[in-house]
Amino acid sequence: MRSVNLIVIHCSATRCNRRFTVDMLKACHNARFGNKGIGYHYYIERDGHLYQTRDESLVGMHARHYNAHSIGICYEGGLNERGQAADTRTPEQRAALIALLRSLKEDYPQAEILGHRELEGVHKECPSFDCQEYRDYFSGSSVRGTAS
Ligand SMILES: [Zn+2]
C-alpha cells in the first residue's frame, strides 16, 4: 500500500447556487491534466453523495509537492453566491465528510488532516473553512480509543 501521512481537504471553488457535478469535475480535470481522470480521491456533491474518484493506491493531482503521500478530498462549493470564499458545506456534506474521514483514519491512523490552504506555498482560500475542527475531533477520539 502507498504510504499516506496526509489527508488534504479541498473545495471545488464553485458557487453554492450553481451545480458542479462529479461529471463536470471530471471534464474539467481531464482537460487540465491530459485525460488522467479526477485529481482528488473523493468528491462530495452538495446533496452529500460521496464519489470515489480515484483509487487510493494512485497518487493524486490535487496538492503540488504533497501528492505522493496524501489523499485528496473535495466538496462541491466553497464560494458564496457572489463568488467569495465561504463555508458552503451543507449538513449532508458535513455528514458525508466526517464519515469518510473516520473511515480513512482507520486505514491511515497516522495521517494528518489539513486544509489545502494550510500547505506551504498555497495562496488561496481552499477549502474555505478551518480544518482544525477535524483535528480536534480526531485528537479527542484517538485519546479515548488508545488501547495500549
Ligand atoms: Zn484545493
Side-chain angles (χ1 to χ4, degrees):
M1 201 195 289
R2 186 166 66 95
S3 107
V4 169
N5 58 20
L6 179 63
I7 297 168
V8 184
I9 301 181
H10 299 263
C11 65
S12 64
T14 54
R15 295 179 189 217
C16 60
N17 56 337
R18 296 189 193 160
R19 289 307 315 275
F20 191 66
T21 63
V22 70
D23 291 332
M24 294 161 80
L25 172 65
K26 189 172 189 178
C28 176
H29 277 200
N30 272 333
R32 197 197 299 178
F33 302 124
N35 292 318
K36 291 183 190 155
I38 291 174
Y40 311 115
H41 295 86
Y42 293 96
Y43 189 61
I44 304 171
E45 288 189 350
R46 278 189 63 75
D47 65 359
H49 196 116
L50 171 70
Y51 294 88
Q52 178 159 18
T53 47
R54 190 172 195 82
D55 195 276
E56 285 178 23
S57 66
L58 299 175
V59 172
M61 301 170 287
H62 60 92
R64 201 161 176 237
H65 306 308
Y66 295 89
N67 286 314
H69 301 289
S70 68
I71 296 276
I73 304 171
C74 181
Y75 76 95
E76 180 186 358
L79 300 180
N80 65 18
E81 296 86 345
R82 296 182 302 284
Q84 298 156 331
D87 182 0
T88 65
R89 287 172 297 165
T90 63
E92 293 81 6
Q93 282 176 311
R94 286 170 184 265
L97 183 51
I98 193 65
L100 172 61
L101 289 172
R102 275 203 297 261
S103 158
L104 290 173
K105 285 289 273 183
E106 276 183 27
D107 295 338
Y108 312 103
Q110 77 291 0
E112 190 179 8
I113 300 171
L114 291 175
H116 190 190
R117 68 187 182 191
E118 294 178 274
L119 302 180
E120 211 178 314
V122 175
H123 303 288
K124 46 185 175 183
E125 297 292 319
C126 180
S128 301
F129 70 91
D130 187 355
C131 290
Q132 184 64 40
E133 68 179 83
Y134 294 123
R135 291 193 289 274
D136 289 346
Y137 178 88
F138 287 104
S139 66
S141 65
S142 70
V143 170
R144 285 194 304 276
T146 300
S148 55

